Amino acid sequence: ESLKDEKGLANAYQGLASIFFAQKEPKLAIKYGLEALKYAQESKNYPIAAVAWERLMLAYNETGELEKAIQAGDKCIEIVNAHVPEDVFTLARAYGSRGEVWADLKDYQKALDDNIKSYKIVEAHIGAERPAAQTYRRGTGRTYYLQGNYSAALPHFEAALNGFIDLGQGKVHKLQNLYNQIADCYFQLGDYQKAYINQGLAHEIFDTLMYNKVANLESESLVKYETGKKDQALAEQATTIQ
């Protein structure tokens, strides 16, 4: 701000938007995302503008503002195509995220079109055999799942799951939902043993997340306790000195 560096401010605000979105604070993510967008547009920082629109789409989806989410996705795709066509991953994420919003709006054909397009972009760029490419099939699986087409959803879900595992992300929070969806697909298709196994794997992730949350709370409480004792000792010393 002191340097009046608009490009730097766009980057800084976009960083804040990403942090707040990761911390499940979508309203704050929207606030800082809009600030990032303002400075990105003023400085013609098109890569940050594209990312800001993509992040705003996700945040609007979290707050239930689905029409705004679609508009943000449209803007992201428009900017990438017009100004940064080399940024294929932002484009792929934009199509995939917009596909999820279409699915939430129950427009499943548009959801499928966007998710398939998202995967095809990544596949063409890095190859279908790469684990990262496989993770982009999750949106297609989710669309089929929401339609009740469990046999069509299952191969996409399992390909995405294997991609995340191969990338070393087998215990991240988002995979809990993925395991639950795979379990439900198997249950609906009558394969109760595989449904049970995948449900158990979902619970393992939940247990790990809860253990880590409790450990963090205990650590935070200990820090507050020790800080409180220190503050009390300082106050007592000040009284004694006085």
Side-chain angles (χ1 to χ4, degrees), residues 16-120:
L16 286 168
S18 295
I19 290 167
F20 281 117
F21 183 78
Q23 291 182 328
K24 307 296 182 186
E25 295 279 1
K27 289 183 179 179
L28 286 173
I30 290 168
K31 175 186 174 181
Y32 288 109
L34 290 171
E35 286 292 316
L37 193 60
K38 180 179 74 174
Y39 287 108
Q41 288 173 335
E42 288 175 0
S43 61
K44 295 185 178 179
N45 187 348
Y46 296 116
I48 287 294
V51 172
W53 277 121
E54 194 258 340
R55 189 62 56 188
L56 281 167
M57 173 170 43
L58 295 174
Y60 281 132
N61 196 26
E62 285 290 315
T63 59
E65 299 173 271
L66 302 185
E67 293 298 336
K68 284 186 177 181
I70 292 293
Q71 291 166 11
D74 293 344
K75 285 286 188 182
C76 177
I77 292 165
E78 178 186 323
I79 288 173
V80 174
N81 285 330
H83 300 288
V84 278
E86 69 279 3
D87 192 357
V88 293
F89 288 105
T90 295
L91 185 63
R93 286 196 303 272
Y95 276 117
S97 298
R98 194 177 68 175
E100 293 211 8
V101 183
W102 284 126
D104 291 336
L105 286 166
K106 296 182 170 52
D107 193 331
Y108 297 121
Q109 189 54 56
K110 285 183 179 178
L112 278 175
D113 290 344
D114 272 358
N115 278 298
I116 291 169
K117 195 174 291 184
S118 172
Y119 171 68
K120 291 295 184 184

Side-chain angles (χ1 to χ4, degrees), residues 103-159:
D104 291 336
L105 286 166
K106 296 182 170 52
D107 193 331
Y108 297 121
Q109 189 54 56
K110 285 183 179 178
L112 278 175
D113 290 344
D114 272 358
N115 278 298
I116 291 169
K117 195 174 291 184
S118 172
Y119 171 68
K120 291 295 184 184
I121 290 169
V122 178
E123 180 189 39
H125 191 68
I126 64 174
E129 71 282 355
R130 296 283 291 277
Q134 293 301 305
T135 64
Y136 280 81
R137 294 177 63 180
R138 183 170 62 95
T140 303
R142 179 175 180 264
T143 305
Y144 283 128
Y145 176 78
L146 291 173
Q147 288 179 293
N149 191 345
Y150 304 109
S151 58
L154 198 51
H156 292 285
F157 277 153
E158 293 194 320

